[in-house]
């Protein structure tokens, strides 16, 4: 292997992880807001959110990424032009996080909505009976009680996010897959670099699984184990 | 009487669907669609629609073939993991982990560019009857998508095989059925019924993976829209139409699968 290409792959991996983390955080924000909107919002909010989750989940990520990538940068530039500023180049990182976060938001809306619905109704009623304001109830009751139900689904979404960053290679963002393609194209050692990138992705997935197991055990603390009941 | 009842039923359904705010939302959506139809450029459609239909056909064909082959591969993968000896279950588990742990785009490029650059180095491959196929892109696309579907669905089938109650298999053995007959008549059908609801989701996910084959020069509907974008310098129109096409196919798939699911006996286990 030519010296330096390994470093290129690692830089690509770093960019992939940055985007995956950013997109997951944005997706969690959208998902939490979306889930509460779907459960407690007015009829119009609910219908609009239903359209959002249905459309995003029915259209391929690649098409959405292209659409949002062009539409998003176009929209920002037009707004800036209307306000009298000059056009800016949107950084690939910000655009990637926005696009993947928007897609992740639709999926996490459904995951979090399901998790909130799985909370025993009595807990929320008890919180209301104590006179908790909605914010406090969200922080003390709904969030901790929903976590064990939400974490498996959210963990899946994190793994999907790390793999979906590869799609940004198609719009030319420099992440692991594109770095691999460039390295392979220059050195002609195609198989070597693609296998190396695969190993890197796999390492991220396996390491995530390890952490997820810990987090899941932590979120389930104090809950009766299903295994022992059998 | 029954005609009256259906009329009332339909009216009730319509009144659930057509609440005032829904009518407003539908009107807004219609206005948006009309705006798109009148203010955007669609004059390229007559020139490209034949190519577009070919692209849709090709995407559907790849979807059908890879789902069928992938499911056929997923059954042994799931079976090996659910009840096989370790020298079957360990490789199956490694295969599923690798497929599910790496992006499909990378797998596709690994096969097409990686293996595709290895094969021509060996004269005996170039002289074999496979060579005319190995020089094209679509076999790599089919293999990559098949492996991907098998990897994800193999995990589902593992759960489905393990979920069939032991009593069923023991009863079958007590009847004196052979192992193959138990598998064919008892184990596989019940596991399949369990896996069917997830099969809908997996098939939709597979449909959403098909545009990736355009990156290795297979001309599916996504590649056609890219060509339109390059030829006409239009950004949004081809992409919006493409999104609409995929949404329609997804809707049809979900509808067909829900009809199949409705025909399957509900009570299992």
């Amino acid at each position: 292997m030519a010296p330096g290409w390994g470093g290129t792959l690692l830089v690509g991996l770093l960019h992939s992880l940055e985007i995956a983390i950013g997109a997951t955080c944005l997706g969690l924000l959208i998902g939490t807001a979306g889930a509460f909107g779907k459960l407690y919002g007015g009829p119009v909010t609910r219908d609009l959110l239903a359209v959002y989750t249905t459309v995003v989940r029915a259209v391929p990520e690649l098409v959405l990424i292209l659409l949002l990538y062009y539409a998003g940068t176009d929209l920002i530039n037009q707004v800036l032009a209307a306000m009298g500023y000059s056009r800016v180049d949107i950084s690939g990182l910000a655009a990637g996080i926005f696009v993947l976060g928007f897609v992740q938001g639709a999926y996490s809306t459904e995951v979090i909505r399901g998790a909130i619905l799985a909370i025993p109704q009595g807990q929320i009623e008890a919180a209301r009976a104590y006179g908790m304001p909605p914010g406090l109830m969200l922080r003390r009751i709904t969030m901790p009680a929903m976590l064990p139900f939400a974490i498996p689904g959210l963990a899946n979404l994190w793994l999907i996010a790390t793999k979906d960053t590869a799609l940004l290679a198609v719009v030319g963002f420099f992440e692991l897959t594109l770095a691999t393609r460039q390295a392979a194209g220059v050195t002609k050692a195609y198989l070597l670099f693609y296998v190396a990138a695969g190993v890197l992705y796999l390492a991220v997935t396996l390491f995530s699984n390890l952490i997820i197991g810990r987090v899941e055990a932590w979120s389930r603390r104090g809950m009766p184990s299903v295994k022992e009941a059998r | 009487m029954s005609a009256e009842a259906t009329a009332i039923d339909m009216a009730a359904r319509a009144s659930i669907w057509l609440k005032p705010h829904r009518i407003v939302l539908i009107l807004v959506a219609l206005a948006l669609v009309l705006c798109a139809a009148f203010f955007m450029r669609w004059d390229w459609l007559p020139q490209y629609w034949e190519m577009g239909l070919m692209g849709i056909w090709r995407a559907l064909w790849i979807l059908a073939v890879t789902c069928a082959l992938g499911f056929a591969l997923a059954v042994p993968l799931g079976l090996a993991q659910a009840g096989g000896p370790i020298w079957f279950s360990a490789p199956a588990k490694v295969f599923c982990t690798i497929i599910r742990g790496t992006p499909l785009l990378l797998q596709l490029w690994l096969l097409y560019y990686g293996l595709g650059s290895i094969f021509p180095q060996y004269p005996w491959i170039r002289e074999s009857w496979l060579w005319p196929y190995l020089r094209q892109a679509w076999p790599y696309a089919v293999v990559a998508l098949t492996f991907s579907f098998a990897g994800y669905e193999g995990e589902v089938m593992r759960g489905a095989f393990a979920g069939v109650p032991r009593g069923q298999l023991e009863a079958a053995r007590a009847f004196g059925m052979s192992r193959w007959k138990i598998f064919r008549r008892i184990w596989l059908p019940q596991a399949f019924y369990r896996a069917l609801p997830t099969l809908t989701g997996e098939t939709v996910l597979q449909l959403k993976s098909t545009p990736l084959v355009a990156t290795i020069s297979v001309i599916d509907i996504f590649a056609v829209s890219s060509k339109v974008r390059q030829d006409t310098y239009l950004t949004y129109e081809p992409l919006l139409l493409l999104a609409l096409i995929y949404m329609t196919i997804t809707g049809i798939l979900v509808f067909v699968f829900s009809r199949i699911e409705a025909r399957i006996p509900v009570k299992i286990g």
Side-chain angles (χ1 to χ4, degrees):
Chain A
M1 193 191 287
W5 285 115
T8 313
L9 286 202
L10 287 182
V11 171
L13 176 67
L14 198 69
H15 283 198
S16 287
L17 287 178
E18 276 172 359
I19 287 207
I21 291 171
T24 307
C25 291
L26 182 62
L28 279 178
L29 281 181
I30 297 177
T32 314
F36 277 90
K38 262 197 163 179
L39 287 171
Y40 306 115
V44 178
T45 321
R46 277 186 208 188
D47 279 4
L48 287 179
L49 283 170
V51 170
Y52 164 57
T53 53
T54 312
V55 167
V56 168
R57 292 187 305 157
V59 176
E61 281 80 1
L62 194 58
V63 179
L64 281 177
I65 284 173
L66 285 179
L67 255 179
L68 293 175
Y69 199 82
Y70 294 127
T73 47
D74 216 36
L75 197 69
I76 289 175
N77 272 326
Q78 280 190 0
V79 169
L80 282 181
M83 285 161 64
Y85 295 100
S86 58
R87 294 176 69 88
V88 287
D89 274 334
I90 310 292
S91 84
L93 188 72
I97 288 177
F98 164 73
V99 170
L100 280 187
F102 187 80
V103 176
Q104 287 271 314
Y107 287 89
S108 40
T109 297
E110 294 297 320
V111 169
I112 294 175
R113 189 182 71 96
I116 292 176
L117 282 177
I119 301 173
Q121 199 60 37
Q123 297 197 6
I124 292 178
E125 281 167 10
R128 282 214 187 104
Y130 268 101
M132 276 193 195
L136 192 66
M137 192 172 84
L138 174 72
R139 195 155 52 83
R140 288 221 181 131
I141 311 293
T142 315
M143 280 293 179
M146 117 198 152
L147 264 188
F149 302 113
I151 279 182
L154 294 179
N156 252 343
L157 284 181
W158 157 252
L159 293 178
I160 291 174
T162 57
K163 289 183 283 167
D164 271 358
T165 54
L167 297 178
L168 292 172
V170 176
V171 286
F173 178 72
F174 187 81
E175 47 64 67
L176 183 49
T177 304
L178 193 64
T180 311
R181 193 179 178 171
Q182 286 178 1
V186 172
T187 59
K188 302 290 174 204
Y190 290 97
L191 208 54
L192 173 73
F193 279 109
Y194 282 117
V195 169
V199 169
L200 285 178
Y201 276 114
L202 204 58
V204 171
T205 303
L206 294 178
F207 182 70
S208 305
N209 278 340
L210 214 67
I211 304 284
I212 289 161
R214 292 271 176 87
V215 173
E216 210 175 322
W218 167 79
S219 75
R220 280 187 191 282
R221 71 202 183 283
M223 286 179 84
S225 162
V226 184
K227 258 185 204 158
E228 284 160 27
R230 270 191 186 172
Chain B
M1 174 63 207
S2 71
E4 238 172 77
T6 43
I8 291 171
D9 189 41
M10 273 176 69
R13 264 194 214 163
S15 73
I16 290 172
W17 269 96
L18 295 175
K19 290 174 192 161
H21 74 275
R22 286 241 166 92
I23 295 175
V24 174
L25 284 179
I26 290 170
L27 286 179
V28 170
L30 270 181
L32 282 177
V33 170
L34 285 179
C35 277
F38 281 111
F39 293 115
M40 291 177 133
R41 275 187 52 199
W42 301 101
D43 50 344
W44 45 272
L45 269 178
Q47 199 188 334
Y48 287 97
W49 77 275
E50 227 165 287
M51 200 192 264
L53 281 184
M54 269 308 288
I56 295 176
W57 168 245
R58 205 163 280 166
L60 288 178
W61 180 84
I62 289 179
L63 175 72
V65 168
T66 57
C67 280
L69 288 179
F71 188 76
L73 202 55
V75 170
L77 278 172
L79 197 62
Q81 288 185 74
I86 181 116
W87 55 86
F88 279 138
S89 68
K93 195 165 173 48
V94 168
F95 176 82
C96 286
T97 309
I98 289 177
I99 293 293
R100 296 178 345 132
T102 52
L104 176 57
L105 188 64
L106 191 81
Q107 297 164 14
L108 201 61
W109 287 1
L110 171 73
L111 285 179
Y112 184 64
Y113 295 111
L115 285 186
S117 71
I118 296 284
F119 284 152
Q121 294 171 9
Y122 297 98
W124 61 270
I125 292 183
R126 264 187 298 177
E127 282 153 20
S128 75
W129 57 273
L130 270 174
W131 184 239
Y133 298 101
L134 290 177
R135 282 174 56 191
Q136 297 172 33
W138 64 265
Y140 298 95
V142 168
V143 168
L145 284 172
T146 302
F147 279 179
S148 163
F149 192 81
Y152 284 94
E153 193 61 25
E155 205 67 19
V156 173
M157 288 311 287
R158 177 187 63 82
F161 276 122
V164 174
R166 288 185 67 84
Q168 298 265 354
L169 303 180
E170 281 164 7
R173 210 176 302 148
F175 266 102
M177 287 189 187
S178 67
R179 293 179 75 167
W180 168 242
K181 203 178 232 176
I182 293 176
F183 173 73
R184 196 164 46 91
R185 289 219 184 138
I186 313 289
W187 214 5
L188 182 62
Q190 295 205 21
F192 179 70
Y193 294 161
R194 274 162 199 276
L196 197 60
T198 59
L199 209 58
T200 315
E202 289 292 334
T203 311
V204 172
L205 284 181
Q206 185 78 351
L207 169 72
K208 297 200 302 177
S209 309
T210 54
L212 291 181
V213 303
T215 61
I216 60 166
S217 75
V218 175
I219 313 287
D220 74 331
I221 181 68
F222 182 84
V224 172
S225 102
S226 302
K227 186 174 160 47
V228 173
R229 289 206 342 258
Q230 277 170 11
D231 289 356
T232 60
Y233 300 109
L234 293 169
T235 315
Y236 299 114
E237 287 89 342
L239 281 174
L240 284 175
L241 190 63
L242 188 63
L244 188 70
I245 289 171
Y246 277 111
M247 264 159 49
T248 314
I249 301 177
T250 307
I252 294 171
L253 273 181
V254 170
F255 176 73
V256 168
F257 269 96
S258 73
R259 292 303 286 269
I260 296 176
E261 259 175 66
R263 300 178 60 139
I264 297 282
V266 180
K267 201 169 167 233
I268 47 172

